[in-house]
Amino acid sequence: MNTKLHLFFESARKLTKMSAISVSPSPLFDTLEPLCDLYKRCQVENQEYVITEWLTICLSGTKATLSDEVAEGIVSEYGHALRFLYSYRGSFETFNAYRREIDRLLQWSWFVQKKPVLKLKRLDIEAFIEFCQKPPKRWIGSKMVARFITKDGEIIPNPEWRPFIVKISKKAFQDGERPNKTSFELSQQGIKQIFAILGSFYNALIQEEVTEINPVAQIRQKSKFIRQTSNTPMIRRLSDKQWQMVLETTRQLAEENPKKHKRTLFMLQMLYGMYLRISELASSPRWSPKMSDFFRDTNGDWWFRTIGKGNKMRQIAVSDPMLEALKQYREYLSYSPLPSPDDQNPLIPKEKGKGAMESTRVIRQLIQTCFDSAVNQLRINNEHEEAEMLRSATVHWLRHTGISEDVKHRPREHVRDDAGHSSGALTDRYIDVELKARANTARNKTWGEKR
């Protein structure tokens, strides 16, 4: 055992004797690029030393204690988790989801359960899920923050970071409400992700012959954590009246302030017309959309190429209205009407400076401006119910709205492929014919009174 490692273990054992749930945890894994750098360092340097150095930084501000058993195996277990997360470097969204769950598991196992991750049994995993359903307040944050910050030239854990975040709706926030930690509730989707990600983690450890048991797979009665439903989930989308008002007011904004909102209008049209996710518009290390991603095939048909969820590339059929929107946008940018295969200009340029738009936060803010303008106009038109419902809308609703509208008249398989759905069953969720029929038959029900 090297000297630094020995000192680390000793300091871990001597930490103030406080309950882990009464102290604020510190993050164990950084963002994708620094994590990849850490993994690569482990391949060329002494892994034990590299991980010990990093964990010393991560745990420098925590007051939770490590048991002797955990301390002896912490570097090795961290190395297994690091290698597992590194294997998901190809997809930013997937990496973030896996990092979140693995970080929570290690935090809970080491500091709450006081057991090595490799020693957890079925009952431990069940206890972990119950913990995630109702974590202590000190484990809950009210806003998304960076995991690590720089102070005096040194990287340190962000003291405001928490493993869980309590959220409220956009409408509630606009009404003056603020997140309340006591109202935190882990969603059903969140519980499903725990099962899927931790199950995958232990399967990877089995394949590497690190362990022989997957405690997640031993949980037979998952229904006590995951509610079953026989109803089709309701798709959150804009009504026809809301969408038309959003489009109309955005066009007006583009006329009044073209420098700022010609680009906004084009983004709105892409989000709705091609079912894009907001991450597919912004530039990232994984993918930087360019004008040449619009291309024409040998049949004269136009397509748009993108990389979406799960790092999957797909081609989206471009409609005539979308092609016309592209021409108008390029005309404003003083480009030729349509891009050539060699056009490397960014699809969504920054408003100031050169290069592509990288911030999804800025895109959300611009689209929110359109929503807010539409809400105000609906109120002026005395469409108060439509206005209130639109206040709850998020950018992702545009994708849902576009799919829901197109599936009414396009073949399901075509919409499925353009949307990037892994199966037709996902696309079927947007077909609300049966729901509409049910609603119609219920509308004229009475209290059984004879007339």
Side-chain angles (χ1 to χ4, degrees):
M1 183 182 296
N2 63 55
T3 304
K4 188 162 188 172
L5 185 64
H6 177 75
L7 292 174
F8 171 73
F9 283 158
E10 288 303 310
S11 62
R13 292 188 182 102
K14 293 177 181 177
L15 287 171
T16 306
K17 299 293 182 180
M18 297 178 67
S19 169
I21 63 174
S22 66
V23 298
S24 301
S26 294
L28 299 174
F29 301 99
D30 206 340
T31 52
L32 181 56
E33 187 174 350
L35 181 138
C36 288
D37 291 341
L38 181 66
Y39 175 83
K40 291 173 183 177
R41 278 189 62 199
C42 290
Q43 307 312 302
V44 297
E45 302 178 32
N46 183 295
Q47 175 172 302
E48 191 176 61
Y49 179 85
V50 172
I51 292 178
T52 299
E53 184 178 54
W54 175 248
L55 285 177
T56 303
I57 294 172
C58 295
L59 304 180
S60 59
T62 183
K63 296 180 180 179
T65 60
L66 292 171
S67 68
D68 290 347
E69 186 180 25
V70 168
E72 289 299 336
I74 190 172
V75 172
S76 175
E77 289 197 337
Y78 188 91
H80 295 316
L82 178 64
R83 183 164 57 252
F84 176 72
L85 293 176
Y86 180 77
S87 68
Y88 289 93
R89 64 193 180 279
S91 172
F92 183 74
E93 293 83 3
T94 304
F95 166 79
N96 281 343
Y98 277 59
R99 177 189 59 175
R100 179 188 64 237
E101 301 305 337
I102 298 302
D103 204 323
R104 288 174 177 173
L105 176 68
L106 266 57
Q107 300 268 4
W108 178 85
S109 181
W110 292 347
F111 303 118
V112 178
Q113 200 72 347
K114 306 290 187 181
K115 292 176 68 173
V117 172
L118 296 178
K119 295 289 184 68
L120 296 180
K121 305 299 182 184
R122 174 181 62 84
L123 292 177
D124 294 314
I125 297 298
E126 291 186 359
F128 170 66
I129 296 172
E130 291 170 352
F131 178 88
C132 291
Q133 289 177 308
K134 199 66 177 177
K137 289 183 180 180
R138 286 185 175 271
W139 284 57
I140 304 173
S142 58
K143 60 181 179 179
M144 297 289 292
V145 298
R147 287 170 163 255
F148 293 88
I149 57 176
T150 301
K151 183 177 181 180
D152 299 328
E154 299 290 334
I155 295 177
I156 62 170
N158 188 341
E160 294 186 7
W161 177 85
R162 298 293 183 272
F164 300 90
I165 302 294
V166 62
K167 299 177 181 179
I168 59 173
S169 70
K170 185 183 70 176
K171 180 178 178 296
F173 186 84
Q174 292 173 342
D175 288 339
E177 293 184 32
R178 292 298 178 262
N180 185 346
K181 294 180 180 181
T182 58
S183 63
F184 174 85
E185 182 178 359
L186 188 65
S187 68
Q188 286 292 293
Q189 183 60 30
I191 297 173
K192 290 178 181 178
Q193 285 193 331
I194 291 177
F195 278 109
I197 294 172
L198 298 194
S200 178
F201 177 53
Y202 279 103
N203 281 337
L205 296 178
I206 291 173
Q207 292 171 2
E208 294 177 359
E209 299 182 349
V210 175
T211 186
E212 297 179 352
I213 298 174
N214 183 342
V216 181
Q218 294 179 332
I219 301 176
R220 300 303 178 191
Q221 195 178 1
K222 295 182 176 63
S223 59
K224 60 186 174 183
F225 298 109
I226 302 174
R227 292 191 298 269
Q228 301 297 319
T229 176
S230 59
N231 294 327
T232 302
M234 186 70 70
I235 298 297
R236 298 168 71 84
R237 55 156 294 177
L238 304 182
S239 69
D240 292 341
K241 186 172 292 185
Q242 290 166 354
W243 162 242
Q244 291 302 323
M245 185 58 73
V246 169
L247 184 59
E248 178 184 326
T249 53
T250 305
R251 284 172 173 160
Q252 185 175 346
L253 288 171
E255 288 297 320
E256 296 172 352
N257 188 349
K259 183 177 180 181
K260 189 177 187 67
H261 290 301
K262 283 286 188 181
R263 180 186 59 175
T264 306
L265 174 60
F266 182 64
M267 290 191 295
L268 183 86
Q269 291 166 324
M270 291 191 71
L271 290 165
Y272 172 90
M274 296 198 298
Y275 330 140
L276 293 190
R277 301 176 179 89
I278 192 170
S279 60
E280 294 166 352
L281 280 179
S283 177
S284 68
R286 179 193 65 190
W287 177 252
S288 185
K290 302 178 179 62
M291 282 292 181
S292 57
D293 289 320
F294 278 98
F295 66 95
R296 186 175 61 183
D297 65 16
T298 55
N299 295 319
D301 297 318
W302 280 85
W303 301 84
F304 179 72
R305 179 194 307 111
T306 188
I307 291 183
K309 198 173 182 179
N311 207 28
K312 297 177 182 177
M313 178 175 285
R314 72 182 189 278
Q315 292 180 184
I316 304 169
V318 179
S319 66
D320 289 343
M322 189 68 243
L323 197 62
E324 184 61 31
L326 174 63
K327 291 178 181 178
Q328 293 175 5
Y329 178 56
R330 287 177 60 84
E331 180 183 3
Y332 165 72
L333 295 173
S334 299
Y335 295 159
S336 62
L338 291 168
S340 71
D342 300 321
D343 193 333
Q344 296 299 300
N345 287 304
L347 183 66
I348 309 296
K350 296 176 180 177
E351 182 179 352
K352 298 180 181 179
K354 297 181 179 180
M357 169 79 76
E358 298 175 350
S359 173
T360 56
R361 179 179 58 82
V362 172
I363 297 176
R364 282 193 178 90
Q365 290 174 341
L366 290 169
I367 300 299
Q368 183 60 50
T369 299
C370 304
F371 286 172
D372 291 342
S373 296
V375 167
N376 291 335
Q377 190 58 50
L378 285 168
R379 285 172 173 164
I380 292 172
N381 296 348
N382 290 321
E383 298 282 356
H384 296 290
E385 185 176 347
E386 294 283 355
E388 284 303 301
M389 293 176 67
L390 181 55
R391 289 181 63 204
S392 299
T394 67
V395 176
H396 199 65
W397 286 29
L398 293 171
R399 168 178 162 87
H400 291 324
T401 306
I403 295 173
S404 299
E405 188 62 29
D406 281 4
V407 82
K408 295 176 183 177
H409 54 81
R410 291 186 68 195
R412 183 192 69 168
E413 294 76 12
H414 296 178
V415 177
R416 175 199 65 197
D417 293 344
D418 282 350
H421 289 159
S422 58
S423 71
L426 291 175
T427 312
D428 286 344
R429 293 170 53 194
Y430 293 84
I431 302 175
D432 58 2
V433 176
E434 291 185 5
L435 290 175
K436 184 66 176 175
R438 281 172 58 191
N440 286 339
T441 60
R443 185 170 292 113
N444 296 321
K445 287 168 60 175
T446 69
W447 296 116
E449 298 167 317
K450 294 183 180 180
R451 300 178 180 178

